[in-house]
Amino acid sequence: MNHIISRIARCTAVAAMVVAFASCQQNKFHVTGNITDAQDSVLYFENMSLDGPVVVDSVKLSSDGKFDFSGEQPSAPEFYRLRIKNSIINVSIDSTETVEFKASYPTMAVKYEVSGSENCAKIKELSLLQINLLNQAIALNKNNSIGMKETADSLEKLVTAYKENVKLNYIFKEPNKAYAYFALFQALGNRLIFNPHESVEDMRVFGAVATSWDTYYPEAERGKNLHNIAIEGMKTQRILQAKQQGAGIDPSKVVVSDIIDVPLVDNHGNRRSLTELKGKVVLLDFHAFSAPNSTQRIMQLREVYNKYHAQGLEIYQVSVDPDEHFWKTQTAALPWINVHDPNNLQSEYLGRYNVQSIPTFFLISRANALHKRDAQIKDLDAEIKGLLAK
């Protein structure tokens, strides 16, 4: 009898170990594949941390070039790379996926196959676009038949066209995705293609991704880093504007807001913006008065406004209605700030705030920082009270 019990106990222990192993494996991601023509070369798997590349694992490749790396599931999209000497394949991981790469050395950076990850496939597209841009730039610089100014102008046109393509088809399309983040940090030589310190529009591009990451990955260090970059860009731009206007300015006194601004004209003909509301709790609402159930929603907003406005709440409502006259008629009696975007559903602000449906609202703190969007809020009254108390 004791012998039977002992056997049962051993079987139970083995089963528990199998379940534990399976559970452990379920919480891991895998990066596998083959890199041929690289026998005896060392393949490094590196984490591209905010402080630079960190070796996670490595393997000396055999004749078949097989490799299999794994790691813990990240809480937000994370970036890695496969590297042999100076040849690199960029990798993004955002779950427990298995991503497979097939390549040959030394052309692995430009000729590889990837499966199992849409983000990695998009990053491949972006990498090849970047390489093509670099080759065009090199060809321009080698062209002795044109002068320096014409070369510079041509290069600027190439970069502008590249940025428009990447903004529309990669960054603004899905700003919460890893490949959108990756696109922000592409470079042409030592020059960032998107540089928030040199361009107001580039600053807004960074802000769009930062806002989206706030929504989907509120605790991610990369999201916080994006905000810091965008804020520093705002500060730089304001200092440059002041200098161009002939006024000296102390950089330490430049105040910027941790939010993407929405400067639009209200129903009284005045230009309004979110940044002017610093010190108040703001409910930023994207709305269409021509949409079904608009009246019911406005009644709900009236109730919220009447309850909390005296305590410091403001509503900043952005209309995307195609009929401006209709919008003015509908908002004539509303007590809060109502602005209209003439671009309607093509509004750039819908993309920057990653608005997928109308209506959508966000809460903004007194510090003019994005707090949460509607999908993250279970109790609106509790959220507003919490922000008003700070």
Side-chain angles (χ1 to χ4, degrees), residues 82 106 121 123 147 158 171 181 184 229 233 269 287 300 355 362 365:
L82 297 167
I123 285 174
L158 282 175
I171 298 176
Y181 181 101
L184 294 178
I229 293 171
H287 188 78
Q300 293 170 344
V355 175
F362 300 80
S365 71

Side-chain angles (χ1 to χ4, degrees), residues 97-112:
E97 71 260 55
T98 295
V99 190
E100 184 177 7
F101 293 91
K102 293 183 178 180
S104 177
Y105 185 75
T107 60
M108 57 184 275
V110 292
K111 293 181 180 179
Y112 67 89

Side-chain angles (χ1 to χ4, degrees), residues 29-95:
F29 67 84
H30 294 269
V31 178
T32 67
N34 303 72
I35 298 179
T36 59
D37 299 324
Q39 185 173 359
D40 296 330
S41 295
V42 177
L43 174 66
Y44 293 95
F45 184 55
E46 299 173 325
N47 174 225
M48 298 306 295
S49 75
L50 292 174
D51 296 320
V54 177
V55 175
V56 176
D57 202 350
S58 64
V59 62
K60 188 175 183 179
L61 296 176
S62 59
S63 57
D64 61 10
K66 284 187 177 180
F67 63 89
D68 188 345
F69 300 117
S70 64
E72 296 297 324
Q73 175 186 6
S75 58
E78 193 51 75
F79 297 87
Y80 299 85
R81 70 182 186 184
L82 297 167
R83 180 177 65 83
I84 298 178
K85 297 182 180 179
N86 293 324
S87 295
I88 290 168
I89 296 176
N90 291 295
V91 183
S92 76
I93 298 293
D94 61 6
S95 66

Side-chain angles (χ1 to χ4, degrees), residues 29-266:
F29 67 84
H30 294 269
V31 178
T32 67
N34 303 72
I35 298 179
T36 59
D37 299 324
Q39 185 173 359
D40 296 330
S41 295
V42 177
L43 174 66
Y44 293 95
F45 184 55
E46 299 173 325
N47 174 225
M48 298 306 295
S49 75
L50 292 174
D51 296 320
V54 177
V55 175
V56 176
D57 202 350
S58 64
V59 62
K60 188 175 183 179
L61 296 176
S62 59
S63 57
D64 61 10
K66 284 187 177 180
F67 63 89
D68 188 345
F69 300 117
S70 64
E72 296 297 324
Q73 175 186 6
S75 58
E78 193 51 75
F79 297 87
Y80 299 85
R81 70 182 186 184
L82 297 167
R83 180 177 65 83
I84 298 178
K85 297 182 180 179
N86 293 324
S87 295
I88 290 168
I89 296 176
N90 291 295
V91 183
S92 76
I93 298 293
D94 61 6
S95 66
T96 56
E97 71 260 55
T98 295
V99 190
E100 184 177 7
F101 293 91
K102 293 183 178 180
S104 177
Y105 185 75
T107 60
M108 57 184 275
V110 292
K111 293 181 180 179
Y112 67 89
E113 297 176 12
V114 57
S115 60
S117 169
E118 179 195 9
N119 273 308
C120 288
K122 292 290 186 182
I123 285 174
K124 176 186 176 182
E125 291 177 18
L126 285 163
S127 297
L128 293 178
L129 286 171
Q130 181 186 14
I131 290 169
N132 183 54
L133 176 65
L134 177 61
N135 289 336
Q136 289 178 296
I138 291 171
L140 268 176
N141 285 324
K142 287 183 177 179
N143 189 346
N144 296 323
S145 65
I146 58 176
M148 290 180 62
K149 186 180 186 307
E150 189 176 349
T151 298
D153 290 344
S154 297
L155 179 58
E156 198 60 36
K157 287 178 182 177
L158 282 175
V159 172
T160 298
Y162 182 90
K163 289 167 69 172
E164 286 303 309
N165 175 36
V166 171
K167 276 192 297 186
L168 292 176
N169 296 312
Y170 294 91
I171 298 176
F172 288 157
K173 188 175 182 180
E174 292 184 297
N176 61 303
K177 292 297 182 76
Y179 69 81
Y181 181 101
F182 176 85
L184 294 178
F185 295 97
Q186 289 189 297
L188 185 59
N190 294 324
R191 170 189 174 184
L192 275 176
I193 295 173
F194 292 96
N195 191 335
H197 293 282
E198 294 181 356
S199 164
V200 172
E201 182 56 33
D202 289 358
M203 178 185 68
R204 290 170 179 164
V205 173
F206 267 80
V209 179
T211 298
S212 188
W213 277 53
D214 271 350
T215 299
Y216 289 92
Y217 320 108
E219 301 303 319
E221 286 300 318
R222 291 186 184 276
K224 295 174 184 177
N225 185 55
L226 284 179
H227 268 300
N228 290 336
I229 293 171
I231 289 170
E232 287 303 314
M234 293 178 197
K235 196 175 288 188
T236 301
Q237 290 298 321
R238 293 189 181 182
I239 292 170
L240 289 174
Q241 288 171 7
K243 287 182 177 179
Q244 288 169 358
Q245 294 167 2
I249 189 166
D250 181 354
S252 65
K253 295 181 179 179
V254 174
V255 178
V256 294
S257 171
D258 188 10
I259 198 169
I260 297 173
D261 202 5
V262 183
L264 293 168
V265 176
D266 69 11

